[in-house]
Amino acid sequence: MYETILLPFDGSEGAAEVLHHASEIAHRVDATIQVLYVADTTRDSVTVVEGETVDALLQQGQDVVGEAAKTLDTLGVSYDTDVVQGNPAPTIAEYAERFDQDLIVMPTHGREGVARYLVGSVSEKVVRLSTVPVLSVRMQPDETLEFPYGNILVPTDGSSAATYAADHLVELAASLDATVHALSVVDDSALGPDVRSTISGTESERAATDAVDAVVESAESRGVTNTVRHVEHGTPVEEILDCVESNDIHLVGMGTTGRRGTDRILLGSVAEKTVRSAPVPVMTVAEPD
């Protein structure tokens, strides 16, 4: 499924758990982990030590990837390390594309509970910029990190972006012998109170059912033996989170869409909100432009 996994790593608190999680994935799919430290050129890090000009962040980066390497040695995972300079988010996205990385595992920070957020963070920007699938793994004590993923939730609205992501996720599920939960949400808040809303609601439910059926058919065609259909009414993000909690979901996977670069937006903002709030890892997959 993946031959190379890019792991941006800064050695911060909680990052070790994400390193172990990435190692579990690498072991399962026989992948090489590329540990990457980005020395942030937007910060002033050059100093003079004993008359010699040095970049403190570059030195810190070497120390950080060195510690990661020691851990990966004990875990028996194939790996490489690299320290580069640049603006972190675009540098990570460009690095992944330039060196043909198959997956980016992004350690993310956030507040606990409803107030958790990623707004403006490096992780959020990488999700927006990356043409490579991004697995956002939060470094919080209330997060669930379980691998292999036994239950994978694939929210879909039937769009081309959602379908492209679903194909990637069901392939992953097949490789892990996981159960695919296909979910589509009829957003009742978008319906008006008049009689036309009844017709609109019926059409929306039919479209949601068709979207779920398409994911299930794709999963079954790839050899996934266990599938569950979910067609719910409500607010998409709330229904996704409810489904995660009530079905012991280990991974949520969904699509992103938009123009390349800083203008890339997440699918209806639902993916963005899910990345911010889900208590399990979230994989976002960008549809090619």
Side-chain angles (χ1 to χ4, degrees), residues 200-253:
S200 180
T202 301
E203 293 175 347
S204 296
E205 183 150 358
R206 185 181 301 116
T209 301
D210 290 345
V212 164
D213 287 345
V215 173
V216 170
E217 290 171 9
S218 175
E220 291 175 345
S221 72
R222 287 170 169 78
V224 176
T225 56
N226 296 313
T227 58
V228 183
R229 291 172 167 84
H230 303 272
V231 176
E232 305 293 346
H233 290 252
T235 303
V237 176
E238 292 180 358
E239 294 302 326
I240 290 170
L241 298 180
D242 285 347
C243 194
V244 168
E245 183 176 355
S246 59
N247 293 278
D248 191 27
I249 299 298
H250 304 131
L251 172 72
V252 179

Side-chain angles (χ1 to χ4, degrees), residues 256-275:
T256 67
T257 186
R259 296 187 296 274
R260 290 272 178 94
T262 55
D263 291 327
R264 180 177 293 281
I265 59 172
L266 297 178
L267 180 60
S269 80
V270 172
E272 180 177 356
K273 293 174 182 176
T274 301
V275 168

Side-chain angles (χ1 to χ4, degrees), residues 52-133:
E52 181 179 354
T53 301
V54 297
D55 190 317
L57 282 179
L58 282 177
Q59 183 57 57
Q60 178 182 328
Q62 295 293 347
D63 294 340
V64 167
V65 299
E67 289 300 314
K70 292 178 184 178
T71 300
L72 293 172
D73 280 332
T74 64
L75 296 173
V77 179
S78 175
Y79 68 88
D80 291 307
T81 64
D82 201 358
V83 177
V84 299
Q85 292 178 302
N87 188 334
T91 298
I92 291 167
E94 291 164 7
Y95 190 101
E97 186 168 8
R98 180 187 307 167
F99 294 103
D100 296 323
Q101 302 296 300
D102 299 314
L103 176 69
I104 303 173
V105 177
M106 280 299 302
T108 65
H109 299 273
R111 294 176 179 171
E112 294 184 6
V114 178
R116 181 186 292 127
Y117 73 108
L118 282 176
V119 180
S121 72
V122 171
S123 299
E124 182 186 54
K125 292 173 183 175
V126 171
V127 168
R128 288 176 178 270
L129 291 169
S130 179
T131 60
V132 174

Side-chain angles (χ1 to χ4, degrees), residues 148-211:
Y149 307 125
N151 291 293
I152 297 177
L153 176 62
V154 184
T156 179
D157 60 3
S159 65
S160 62
T163 300
Y164 183 84
D167 287 344
H168 185 92
L169 269 296
V170 297
E171 185 177 349
L172 176 62
S175 71
L176 299 177
D177 195 25
T179 296
V180 169
H181 293 255
L183 167 68
S184 193
V185 179
V186 179
D187 189 352
D188 293 328
S189 66
L191 303 179
D194 58 19
V195 95
R196 288 176 299 174
S197 68
T198 302
I199 300 173
S200 180
T202 301
E203 293 175 347
S204 296
E205 183 150 358
R206 185 181 301 116
T209 301
D210 290 345

